[in-house]
Amino acid sequence: MNFPRLQEKLEILADAAKYDVSCSSSGGNRKNKKGGLGDSHATGICHSYTEDGRCVSLLKILLTNHCIYDCAYCVSRKSNDIKRAAFTVEEVVDLTINFYRRNYIEGLFLSSGIFKDAETTMERLVRVAKKLRKEHNFNGYIHLKSIPGASDEIMKEAGLYADRLSINLEIPTTRGLKLLAPEKSHDQMIKPMGFIKNELNLYKEEKKIFKNVPKFAPAGQSTQMIVGATDETDLKIIKVADHFYQNFKLKRVYYSGYVPMLEDKRLPSIDSQVPMLRENRLYQADWLMRFYGFKADEILEKSNPFLDLEVDPKLAWALRNREQFPVNINTATKEMILRVPGIGRKSMYKILTARNFQKLNLEHLRKMGVATNRAKYFVEFESQNIFNKYIDDFNFRKIILQGMKSKFQNPFSEQLTLF
């Protein structure tokens, strides 16, 4: 084996893969078998987080950065003058097994540029997963990036070996994608997402009838959108995300702040900053839709289509809807408690349990872990809450901000290098 060349490939193809943020495992439950290797049960792959919150897989690579497409936002675009490399199937398998044995990783995130055509590329990705599962009894987490344009047959096979499949929407709007990647279309991307959704439903139905049904992508499917490469609003982005959650049963939508790398008149300036805070606010809005019962139209409105960078989306909603507060913490529904800034889902359940035994006050909330620096203005109790008087104050927003300290002091913080 030519180790210097293999190391060079690893440097090139791991670096090219860092722009894909959809690498967390979430939901894999594949267990080890006798004589097997690895286990994605419970915690899934071993992942870490960079300072800006990105999830980092210790073996996150491209199969190749050769590509037939010329997408303006992509570092691997065919017109970009960069070093190119390609792993063989055997090299990726050997790296995964050897890294796993050394406890460097607990899984594989494998994506690829498109060489020759979609079918050929997808077939090689699947061969890696199949070889790991069948020949090495590898039971660690495998996330495969699906290639739009590949046949249903190869997508079906991918789902039998991978824990999660993902298809990137890349740019949130059709107009934006046409501008920056005219060779691609959202229709082309949506087709395999529909196929995966149907296969997941089919697996659930068959599982009710047959005891032993081959698993199909047990950690579901996800997608990723680049934020800030085109001029779409945050309202448009979260509506797109909501559409795919509702209609394609996605496990996650990932938002990736655009990283300027290339000079192109269609793109933001090469000197523009990565919109990390905007990306973080989108994740918070996404969380509200998935776990807090908010609708996209509640989080943002047509007249106000961008997320507030100064306060989180839930606090911003509360500030716009002050007439719905204060909420009596001893009698309110769980849906309304969840809308109080500073109260998360765990705290909400603690409140529901504790109020069965006693009347709660602000000190109780503090002991439960509620962020009372925000919540104290929006809740009431049987006894007087002196903070309620500020809700109608003209400077209410300023009063709250004075009591908060954001970890995001710079809205355009620098993205870390991974290797």
Side-chain angles (χ1 to χ4, degrees):
M1 184 177 288
N2 184 344
F3 285 105
R5 177 54 182 159
L6 187 61
Q7 184 172 356
E8 184 183 25
K9 286 184 184 181
L10 191 57
E11 289 174 359
I12 294 170
L13 296 172
D15 188 68
K18 71 183 180 184
Y19 301 101
D20 198 321
V21 299
S22 55
C23 60
S24 64
S25 57
S26 315
N29 61 357
R30 191 182 298 272
K31 297 179 181 177
N32 200 359
K33 300 170 187 172
K34 187 176 181 181
L37 179 69
D39 187 340
S40 73
H41 182 58
T43 55
I45 65 170
C46 176
H47 53 259
S48 59
Y49 293 87
T50 59
E51 190 178 4
D52 58 25
R54 290 170 186 269
C55 176
V56 180
S57 168
L58 295 180
L59 184 56
K60 188 171 89 170
I61 53 176
L62 299 187
L63 189 61
T64 179
N65 63 345
H66 289 279
C67 195
I68 61 174
Y69 292 119
D70 201 36
C71 309
Y73 46 81
C74 183
V75 70
S76 299
R77 60 189 285 186
K78 68 180 179 183
S79 62
N80 198 20
D81 184 19
I82 56 170
K83 278 189 176 180
R84 304 281 177 176
F87 283 122
T88 64
V89 170
E90 289 72 20
E91 284 173 336
V92 177
V93 170
D94 287 346
L95 281 172
T96 304
I97 294 299
N98 282 298
F99 280 11
Y100 193 92
R101 290 188 190 283
R102 287 169 172 77
N103 203 28
Y104 295 165
I105 62 166
E106 292 186 49
L108 171 68
F109 177 94
L110 186 61
S111 184
S112 182
I114 315 300
F115 56 93
K116 193 175 178 180
D117 55 51
E119 187 75 1
T120 304
T121 307
M122 192 70 214
E123 185 269 336
R124 292 195 189 179
L125 293 176
V126 172
R127 276 177 56 199
V128 170
K130 184 175 182 179
K131 204 172 180 65
L132 283 168
R133 298 288 192 222
K134 292 289 189 181
E135 296 183 20
H136 295 272
N137 290 325
F138 181 73
N139 291 297
Y141 182 81
I142 298 178
H143 181 151
L144 287 186
K145 189 64 65 178
S146 304
I147 309 299
S151 66
D152 290 349
E153 290 73 20
I154 198 72
M155 291 297 298
K156 170 87 175 180
E157 195 172 6
L160 296 177
Y161 302 119
D163 292 283
R164 172 167 287 183
L165 298 171
S166 61
I167 299 105
N168 287 351
L169 280 175
E170 303 187 4
I171 301 297
T173 63
T174 301
R175 181 174 61 84
L177 186 67
K178 189 174 182 181
L179 174 69
L180 300 181
E183 300 160 292
K184 295 183 176 178
S185 75
H186 276 160
D187 288 342
Q188 194 181 34
M189 299 165 185
I190 290 170
K191 182 174 177 293
M193 294 170 85
F195 175 80
I196 294 169
K197 183 194 77 171
N198 292 337
E199 287 296 315
L200 289 169
N201 288 336
L202 184 62
Y203 168 76
K204 285 182 182 175
E205 293 303 315
E206 290 182 344
K207 187 69 179 172
K208 294 176 185 174
I209 304 171
F210 306 106
K211 185 177 179 182
N212 296 314
V213 180
K215 287 183 178 179
F216 183 87
Q221 63 171 326
S222 61
T223 191
Q224 175 180 328
M225 295 187 278
I226 300 171
V227 175
T230 48
D231 61 356
E232 64 280 332
T233 65
D234 293 338
L235 176 59
K236 180 65 181 176
I237 293 170
I238 63 173
K239 279 198 162 190
V240 170
D242 187 49
H243 170 77
F244 282 94
Y245 280 131
Q246 298 300 325
N247 296 290
F248 291 86
K249 307 298 180 189
L250 296 193
K251 288 286 186 180
R252 288 292 304 272
V253 175
Y254 291 88
Y255 309 91
S256 176
Y258 171 67
V259 182
M261 301 165 290
L262 305 166
E263 291 280 8
D264 191 304
K265 62 182 181 182
R266 295 169 292 175
L267 291 169
S269 162
I270 194 79
D271 297 320
S272 59
Q273 301 292 323
V274 180
M276 299 308 302
L277 181 50
R278 184 184 180 194
E279 178 187 295
N280 183 63
R281 294 291 183 233
L282 284 167
Y283 277 114
Q284 290 175 325
D286 185 281
W287 205 258
L288 292 183
M289 291 193 294
R290 294 164 60 210
F291 301 112
Y292 285 74
F294 282 80
K295 293 183 169 56
D297 287 331
E298 289 182 290
I299 298 170
L300 287 170
E301 302 162 347
K302 283 185 179 178
S303 59
N304 184 28
F306 287 96
L307 292 163
D308 192 328
L309 296 184
E310 204 168 35
V311 298
D312 67 77
K314 190 159 79 161
L315 178 55
W317 177 85
L319 289 171
R320 293 198 309 271
N321 296 275
R322 296 188 209 180
E323 72 281 359
Q324 301 207 32
F325 298 97
V327 167
N328 189 313
I329 216 69
N330 288 304
T331 59
T333 63
K334 69 176 184 180
E335 289 80 12
M336 202 59 216
I337 294 174
L338 273 178
R339 297 206 166 209
V340 175
I343 297 183
R345 286 174 58 84
K346 285 185 179 178
S347 297
M348 179 271 291
Y349 284 116
K350 288 180 183 176
I351 290 167
L352 292 179
T353 301
R355 73 185 190 184
N356 289 327
F357 303 98
Q358 61 180 326
K359 295 294 182 184
L360 303 179
N361 57 36
L362 192 59
E363 185 57 26
H364 290 132
L365 298 191
R366 186 177 288 111
K367 289 179 179 177
M368 289 176 189
V370 169
T372 51
N373 61 334
R374 281 169 283 161
K376 63 187 178 185
Y377 302 102
F378 299 95
V379 294
E380 65 178 359
F381 312 95
E382 273 55 38
S383 56
Q384 184 187 15
N385 179 6
I386 60 172
F387 298 102
N388 290 158
K389 64 183 180 184
Y390 295 108
I391 287 185
D392 297 323
D393 193 297
F394 180 76
N395 294 315
F396 183 42
R397 178 189 176 97
K398 187 177 178 182
I399 292 169
I400 291 185
L401 288 175
Q402 285 174 342
M404 294 169 51
K405 185 179 180 182
S406 172
K407 62 182 178 180
F408 292 101
Q409 299 300 316
N410 177 5
F412 302 112
S413 57
E414 187 176 342
Q415 179 160 296
L416 301 178
T417 57
L418 303 185
F419 297 90

